[in-house]
């Protein structure tokens, strides 16, 4: 399609859908029109992709994730279809701005943060590398809550993202399956020694899939993300007459749990987990049976990936279907299950390791519990005599009345991976050490990655243009080519062009800040950014204490030679996480204090942007000069905003945690500001129990002065919150070593301040960060999953009617 044709089609589609002309249509009507033109165009490829996989008998991977966080899809799909430029120009000629139109689309926010966003980057990369892989998740009626600030407190509002419909999804009623939740089960013998489960009571729910096309980058591949929604099955209508009864069913896929790392232990959550696991596994088996291959060979055609422990019941559900439905013997079924399943761990925080009480599991999925009991029994039997008793007790699935989901995932799969080198090493040496002793070959690392297309081409067109002009456009398909930029680190014209692009992005963010927060910021200042969920271990508090220090220093000496800085935060706190909410309140009150204080000559501004989400990330990241990655070493599994910020030329200030270690290796010590305890120093403190925050508080005059402001009235309106945070640091011995790392952090910040003063040097550091970011492309990450874990291969290019090769998947 060319531009002229697009304009004609667009106007025709608008007339067909809304009986309107462009001048009469609202932005939403225009958006719906464009979207429908796009989906009707790629749906042919969608069908064809599916047929190709099937006919080639290709092994497919299914990424089971309780969260997906795609954000907006309009521009991403346009880019991947190869339509972005044409549509943008065509619309302009029709008097429409594509950007305005894109704003109409609500973010699809069916995830909390890193884990969900990673799943969506993977979906983009899997399609873009031509790999046969699909997503499987939940279609929540309400996404992650919207955040507002009232009196500087976080307030949560529902995210009604489906209100105006969702044009990317297709409801597939014909592909619905039934899922049984609750009730009782007993086994009966059929006379041949076979045990059959008999179910009594409980609810038979209908799981209806909504499929969304995952459009590959200019390769004609369209994969599927399948999200399940609950409905009352037509046969059961009579049982659910009252509003209350119907509500109980509908609740199941109503809301995403907003806790991003702590285990809430709610029955509804467990039901959600079983619901999407059972629906997904059933639909995979139904597909496999259509292929008419022997059940014994299913491991050659299907790979199921368990994204964190939330879908760990895949192991038991797959066993259930093979045994109960396919009448397979336990051992054959178990071998197949292990070969099909693989598992990624995303956290080392103890409170995030999922455990469910036996009672709860029995009440939600009694048959699954029976199978888990049998898995546990056989595990103990098999290990007894081979390994010592204590080791077996520590690794079994059922312990002290609880089912350990990570244990189930590890025992029932052939691969367990961490998400950064350091994290994977810690899994082997500490968190999952016992399992490493049992199954060393199962453990591996797959460092996270990011979809370069979204995080440069879409989010940062200014930078993308400079890159095209400097190194050509091959980086768009092969991010490793960003390295070509290193040839220009002494080229002042290129350095200037990169700086101009950054400036343009900063101006744009400054406008947004003024419009949304009423704060005027200086675009020449350092834009210092910390964007991630609010969590004690991520240490937004450390950032805050440094800001307070700078403020006190400036109050003492307004002529202090520091570069003007704008500190920018974006973070949601889990609604039930009291401490995290207090941190938000204190940051906001500190911001109000500092932003209104004229005596510091506008050298400091603090901006907390409300409702951090994918779209806001796309605005903030291109404008960042400094990337704050300051978690306590060993706590952040990987981090992915660190990669996005680096790619966009921000300079990282970081502890040696998660993927920061690999970023340091990529750019070298001179192009990153590393500070703080190392992971082994942290573990030494744990071993020796030798940490005392009070010692630091008493002996370090700077720490004393800064921490005291939490409780001495310097910062207004934080009486209880200031005390709570003060107590966490002093009375409860500072769990995340904030005070221990404070001095070193201030030095690292000072080195940033110095570096920025030398414009040329700063620009060179920034260039080297961009140039070395290619290794974090999620295209490469998924390729490694495909090769090492899933054993799937890219689709073959097919020929269209004219014998022209239509898609040409690119390999590394
Ligand atoms: C569990 C039980 C009950 C309710 C909620 C949860 C829950 C929900 C979300 C537990 C964990 C999560 C999300 C975790 C997460 O996002 N982890 C991040 O994963 C990223 C991708 O691998 C890493 O980069 C981050 O370091 C890690 O924190």
């Amino acid at each position: 399609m060319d531009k002229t044709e697009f304009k004609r089609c667009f106007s025709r589609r608008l007339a067909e859908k809304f009986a309107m002309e462009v001048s009469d249509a609202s932005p939403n009507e225009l958006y719906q029109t464009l979207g429908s033109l796009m989906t009707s165009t790629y749906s042919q490829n969608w069908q064809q992709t599916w047929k190709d996989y099937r006919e080639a008998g290709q092994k497919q991977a299914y990424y089971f994730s309780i969260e997906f966080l795609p954000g907006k899809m309009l521009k991403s799909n346009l880019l991947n279809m190869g339509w972005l430029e044409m549509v943008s120009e065509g619309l302009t000629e029709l008097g429409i701005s594509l950007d305005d139109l894109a704003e109409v689309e609500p973010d699809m926010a069916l995830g909390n943060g890193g884990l969900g966003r990673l799943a969506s980057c993977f979906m983009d990369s899997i399609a873009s590398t031509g790999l046969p892989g699909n997503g499987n998740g939940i279609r929540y009626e309400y996404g992650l809550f919207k955040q507002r600030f009232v009196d500087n407190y976080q307030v949560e509002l529902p995210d009604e993202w489906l209100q105006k419909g969702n044009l990317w999804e297709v409801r597939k009623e014909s592909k619905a399956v039934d899922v049984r939740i609750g009730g009782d089960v007993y086994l009966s013998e059929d006379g041949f020694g076979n045990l059959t489960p008999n179910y009594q009571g409980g609810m038979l729910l209908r799981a209806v899939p909504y499929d969304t096309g995952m459009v590959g980058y200019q390769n004609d591949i369209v994969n599927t993300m399948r999200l399940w929604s609950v409905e009352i099955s037509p046969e059961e209508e009579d049982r659910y007459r009252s509003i209350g009864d119907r509500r109980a069913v509908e609740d199941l896929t109503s809301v995403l749990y907003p806790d991003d790392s702590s285990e809430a232990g709610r029955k509804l959550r467990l039901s959600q987990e079983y619901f999407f696991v059972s629906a997904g596994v059933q639909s995979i088996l139904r597909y496999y049976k259509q292929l008419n291959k022997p059940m014994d060979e299913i491991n050659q055609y299907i790979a199921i990936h368990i994204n964190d422990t939330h879908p760990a019941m895949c192991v038991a559900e797959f066993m259930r279907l093979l045994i109960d439905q396919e009448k397979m013997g336990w051992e054959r079924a178990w071998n197949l299950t292990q070969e099909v399943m693989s598992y990624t761990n995303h956290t080392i925080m103890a409170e995030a390791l999922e455990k469910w009480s036996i009672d709860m599991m029995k009440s939600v999925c009694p048959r699954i519990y029976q199978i888990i009991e049998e898995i546990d029994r056989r595990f103990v039997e098999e290990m007894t005599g081979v390994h010592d008793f204590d080791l077996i007790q520590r690794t079994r699935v059922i312990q002290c009345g609880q089912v350990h989901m990570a244990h189930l995932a590890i025992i029932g799969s052939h691969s367990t991976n961490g998400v950064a080198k350091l994290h994977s090493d810690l899994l082997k040496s500490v968190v999952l050490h016992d399992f490493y002793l049992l199954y060393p070959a199962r453990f591996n690392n797959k460092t996270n990655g990011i979809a370069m297309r979204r995080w440069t081409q879409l989010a940062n067109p200014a930078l993308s243009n400079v890159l095209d002009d400097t190194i050509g456009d091959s980086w768009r398909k092969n991010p490793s080519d960003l390295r070509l930029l290193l040839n220009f680190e002494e080229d002042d014209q290129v350095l200037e062009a990169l700086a101009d692009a950054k400036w343009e992005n900063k101006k744009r963010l400054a406008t947004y800040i003024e419009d949304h927060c009423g704060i005027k910021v200086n675009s020449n200042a350092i834009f210092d950014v910390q964007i991630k969920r609010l969590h004690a271990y991520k240490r937004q508090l450390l950032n805050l204490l440094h800001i307070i220090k700078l403020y006190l220093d400036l109050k003492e000496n307004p002529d202090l030679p520091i570069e003007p800085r704008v500190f920018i935060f974006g973070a949601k706190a889990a609604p039930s996480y009291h401490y995290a909410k207090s941190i938000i309140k204190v940051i906001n009150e500190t911001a109000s204090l500092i932003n209104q204080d004229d005596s510091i000559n506008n050298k400091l501004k603090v901006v907390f942007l409300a409702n951090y989400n994918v779209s806001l990330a796309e605005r903030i990241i291109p404008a960042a000069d400094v990337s704050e990655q300051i978690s306590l070493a060993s706590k952040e599994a990987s981090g992915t905003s660190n990669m996005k910020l680096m790619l966009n030329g921000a300079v990282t200030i970081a502890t040696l945690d998660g993927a920061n270690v690999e970023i340091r290796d990529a750019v070298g010590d001179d192009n990153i500001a590393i500070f703080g305890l190392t992971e082994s120093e942290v573990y030494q403190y744990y071993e020796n129990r030798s940490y005392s925050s009070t010692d630091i508080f008493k002996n370090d005059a700077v720490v004393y002065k800064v921490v005291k402001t939490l409780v001495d009235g310097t910062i207004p309106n934080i009486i209880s919150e200031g005390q709570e945070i003060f107590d966490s640091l002093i009375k409860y011995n500072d769990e995340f070593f904030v005070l221990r790392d404070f001095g070193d952090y201030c030095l690292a910040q000072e080195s940033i301040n110095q570096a920025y003063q030398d414009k040329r040097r700063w620009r060179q550091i920034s260039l080297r960060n961009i140039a070395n970011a290619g290794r974090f492309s999620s295209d490469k990450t998924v390729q490694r999953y495909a090769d090492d874990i899933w054993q799937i291969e890219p689709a073959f290019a097919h020929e269209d009617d004219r014998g022209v090769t239509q898609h040409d998947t690119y390999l590394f």
Side-chain angles (χ1 to χ4, degrees), residues 67 114-115 259-261 264 269 310 346 419 448 537 636-639:
E67 304 193 357
L115 169 136
D259 310 85
D260 78 322
S261 65
R269 169 77 177 192
H310 323 136
H346 292 265
V419 289
N448 283 165
Y537 83 80
E636 190 69 272
S638 161

Side-chain angles (χ1 to χ4, degrees), residues 245-523:
D245 288 350
R246 301 184 77 89
R247 180 67 52 79
V249 171
E250 286 154 4
D251 272 353
L252 199 64
T253 52
S254 176
V255 283
L256 163 74
Y257 273 82
D259 310 85
D260 78 322
S261 65
S262 58
E263 199 268 279
R266 304 262 158 68
K267 188 167 175 177
L268 185 61
R269 169 77 177 192
L270 184 63
S271 306
Q272 288 185 335
E273 292 182 355
Y274 183 60
F275 177 76
F276 93 102
V277 159
S278 178
V281 176
Q282 286 188 59
S283 84
I284 290 169
L285 277 183
R286 182 178 54 195
Y287 163 74
Y288 183 70
K289 290 175 85 160
Q290 285 172 6
L291 296 179
N292 287 318
K293 308 268 186 205
M295 218 16 105
D296 258 340
E297 290 173 12
I298 191 166
N299 57 324
Q300 295 168 38
Y301 295 90
I302 302 289
I304 292 180
H305 199 80
I306 299 173
N307 192 33
D308 218 294
T309 52
H310 323 136
M313 279 182 285
C314 277
V315 170
E317 178 68 0
F318 199 75
M319 284 297 287
R320 180 182 77 84
L321 292 169
L322 291 187
I323 294 168
D324 293 351
Q325 200 175 288
E326 305 304 320
K327 307 291 174 202
M328 197 182 274
W330 182 279
E331 259 150 37
R332 270 168 70 204
W334 183 241
N335 288 336
L336 290 171
T337 301
Q338 287 181 318
E339 284 177 35
V340 166
M341 303 290 159
S342 50
Y343 157 63
T344 298
N345 173 290
H346 292 265
T347 186
I348 57 171
M349 302 286 288
E351 67 263 34
L353 292 177
E354 256 190 314
K355 299 174 201 90
W356 293 102
S357 75
I358 292 176
D359 289 347
M360 200 180 285
M361 198 158 268
K362 271 186 183 163
S363 80
V364 170
C365 38
R367 179 67 183 136
I368 290 304
Y369 179 71
Q370 288 181 341
I371 291 171
I372 291 175
E373 246 184 347
E374 183 64 10
I375 292 172
D376 182 59
R377 192 189 68 75
R378 287 178 183 246
F379 172 80
V380 174
E381 190 177 76
E382 188 190 328
M383 292 293 165
T384 302
V386 187
H387 292 281
D388 78 77
F389 178 80
D390 289 346
L391 179 67
I392 298 168
Q393 292 309 310
R394 289 196 304 268
T395 48
R396 57 189 294 184
V397 179
I398 303 172
Q399 288 173 36
C400 309
Q402 290 187 308
V403 179
H404 288 235
M405 304 307 270
H407 301 193
L408 177 63
I410 298 167
I411 292 172
S413 67
H414 67 279
S415 169
T416 292
N417 75 279
V419 289
K421 277 183 196 152
L422 176 69
H423 171 62
S424 297
D425 287 344
L426 282 169
L427 292 183
K428 291 197 280 192
S429 63
V430 185
V431 189
L432 302 175
H433 179 67
D434 289 331
F435 290 97
Y436 181 59
L437 295 176
L438 299 180
Y439 313 114
R442 290 188 193 177
F443 283 76
N444 66 97
N445 172 247
K446 294 286 168 284
T447 299
N448 283 165
I450 56 174
M452 298 276 165
R453 289 164 288 280
R454 180 173 289 263
W455 301 105
T456 22
Q457 297 196 53
L458 289 180
N460 200 343
L463 173 61
S464 302
N465 289 335
V466 177
L467 292 173
D468 286 348
D469 293 346
T470 311
I471 58 172
D473 64 5
S474 63
W475 63 274
R476 290 177 183 258
K477 278 219 158 180
N478 186 1
S480 304
D481 283 354
L482 287 170
R483 284 193 69 78
L484 296 170
L485 204 53
L486 290 174
N487 297 326
F488 298 88
E489 63 180 22
E490 299 297 339
D491 185 325
D492 285 308
Q493 247 177 325
V494 170
L495 291 174
E496 177 126 4
L498 289 170
D500 287 348
K502 181 63 78 182
W503 164 258
E504 195 181 306
N505 294 325
K506 287 168 77 173
K507 289 292 276 187
R508 182 162 170 267
L509 181 60
T511 308
Y512 181 91
I513 291 172
E514 186 162 8
D515 292 350
H516 289 79
C517 317
I519 303 169
K520 268 196 184 348
V521 300
N522 170 6
S523 300

Side-chain angles (χ1 to χ4, degrees), residues 671-685:
N671 300 297
I672 188 168
I674 295 291
F675 74 96
L677 293 172
T678 61
E679 150 275 318
S680 67
E681 288 166 338
V682 169
Y683 276 95
Q684 270 167 33
Y685 270 117

Side-chain angles (χ1 to χ4, degrees), residues 1 4 50 58-59 94 106 115 117 123 171 314 346 349 411 503 543 639 695:
M1 180 157 357
T4 319
W50 187 243
Q58 275 190 285
K59 185 173 182 183
L94 293 171
L115 169 136
R117 183 55 232 174
M123 285 298 109
R171 176 187 150 90
C314 277
H346 292 265
M349 302 286 288
I411 292 172
W503 164 258
N543 190 345
D695 284 354

Side-chain angles (χ1 to χ4, degrees), residues 2 13 62 124 308 311 447 642 760 805:
D2 66 8
R13 186 61 62 97
Y62 295 83
D124 181 335
D308 218 294
T447 299
N642 46 3
R760 188 160 196 274
T805 301

